[in-house]
Amino acid sequence: METAMNEATKAPKTQVNKTKIESYDISRSDETLHLATDLAKFIKENKLSTTVQGKEFVNVEGWQYAGSRLGIVPIVDHVINVSTETEIKYQAKVTLFDMRSGHTVGAGFAICSNKEQGKKFYQEFAIMSMAQTRAIGKAYRNILAWIIRAAGYEPTPAEEMDYGGNTADAKVVAAAPAPQEAPAPAVAAAMKAVPAEPVATEAAAPAVAYASAAQKEEIIRLLNHPVITRQEKTKMLLNINRLDEERATQAIAKLKKAIDDRENGESAAA
């Protein structure tokens, strides 16, 4: 009797585990078709598309959601000021990092200028932020366009389309990182180095020196260490573009300490 009750109790839990899909593998067409269905529902429910001339274009948040379900996160390599005396203009480059393989799997370049339609009244930080946002969408578009198309949307990021007017209160669509669970305590100290404000806000302060490409590469190298959990890696990578040079140095030092502690069997105490 007791055995039968235990089996009856476990049955619903087992069934839920079989139907729940935590993440998808881009190399498996059956899984990515499930992702397209999931993506279409997510975009519609959260209103993450923009209508341009009767066609639906997905906002960068929708592209980020698709990437996050595949374990692919964007890393901003650089944002360069290429302005002239008569034009505010920025160029950005973003690479895509696959957390499963530990390799770069794509890249995207983009520019933004106040000479564009609808950008006349944009401040400089907004132009720089939009260049970065477009680069994120472009990088994802290069490898995920067919999934977006399968979900029923146009395979071009909405931020690349000219649909705004020249108004002083024009709104910039900023990249929003997908919500993640809190990191484990052993790496929580390293995460304190990450500032709380989003990228678009920090861009307003031209004096900030963001983390160099070498610092980001070192952080990624440390995050690939076997003792670092996938949850910790995800949290750090989603915030890596917010680090300035000082905080990046602090994060590197704390990650090294966490790795040393765990290798020496001190992770339980942390």
Side-chain angles (χ1 to χ4, degrees):
M1 177 68 71
E2 183 177 353
T3 301
M5 292 181 63
N6 289 337
E7 290 179 353
T9 303
K10 294 179 180 178
K13 183 176 181 180
T14 303
Q15 185 176 3
V16 171
N17 289 338
K18 287 183 179 180
T19 59
K20 185 177 180 180
I21 300 177
E22 293 293 344
S23 61
Y24 298 91
D25 186 347
I26 195 172
S27 66
R28 297 187 56 179
S29 59
D30 57 337
E31 288 193 9
T32 47
L33 288 177
H34 280 295
L35 173 58
T37 302
D38 175 67
L39 183 60
K41 179 181 178 182
F42 181 83
I43 292 172
K44 182 177 180 180
E45 291 179 349
N46 293 278
K47 299 179 180 179
L48 296 180
S49 66
T50 300
T51 303
V52 182
Q53 297 179 352
K55 297 181 179 181
E56 292 292 321
F57 296 84
V58 179
N59 299 343
V60 71
E61 293 91 345
W63 290 90
Q64 285 184 301
Y65 175 77
S68 69
R69 297 306 300 270
L70 294 165
I72 300 173
V73 296
I75 305 295
V76 178
D77 285 355
H78 64 244
V79 182
I80 302 174
N81 187 348
V82 291
S83 303
T84 66
E85 293 182 357
T86 59
E87 180 182 17
I88 300 174
K89 188 175 182 180
Y90 278 84
Q91 173 191 346
K93 177 187 177 184
V94 167
T95 55
L96 297 179
F97 183 79
D98 187 339
M99 293 186 294
R100 294 183 179 182
S101 67
H103 296 109
T104 297
V105 293
F109 291 85
I111 61 172
C112 186
S113 165
N114 68 338
K115 293 290 186 180
E116 298 175 24
Q117 179 184 358
K119 305 289 190 298
K120 179 179 179 181
F121 297 101
Y122 276 34
Q123 297 181 42
E124 183 171 354
F125 79 89
I127 296 295
M128 183 172 70
S129 177
M130 178 56 78
Q132 174 180 297
T133 299
R134 284 178 175 174
I136 292 173
K138 190 67 175 180
Y140 277 125
R141 186 242 184 274
N142 289 337
I143 65 170
L144 302 182
W146 66 276
I147 296 178
I148 296 294
R149 172 68 79 179
Y153 295 90
E154 294 299 315
T156 301
E159 287 74 18
E160 293 186 23
M161 306 302 297
D162 289 327
Y163 57 85
N166 267 331
T167 56
D169 58 349
K171 181 180 180 181
V172 179
V173 180
Q180 298 291 328
E181 296 180 0
V187 181
M191 290 308 304
K192 291 181 180 179
V194 180
E197 295 299 319
V199 174
T201 303
E202 289 197 357
V208 175
Y210 287 104
S212 66
Q215 287 177 312
K216 292 178 181 179
E217 289 176 2
E218 176 65 6
I219 290 174
I220 291 172
R221 186 187 69 80
L222 293 170
L223 290 174
N224 282 328
H225 195 284
V227 301
I228 300 298
T229 67
R230 182 177 180 180
Q231 177 183 333
E232 293 165 347
K233 182 190 293 187
T234 299
K235 181 66 175 179
M236 179 66 82
L237 286 174
L238 286 172
N239 291 280
I240 196 171
N241 296 323
R242 302 179 184 179
L243 295 172
D244 58 27
E245 291 182 348
E246 181 180 355
R247 290 189 175 99
T249 300
Q250 295 172 0
I252 289 171
K254 290 172 181 177
L255 280 171
K256 287 181 177 178
K257 184 178 185 303
I259 290 171
D260 289 340
D261 289 346
R262 291 181 182 185
E263 285 184 331
N264 294 327
E266 298 176 10
S267 58

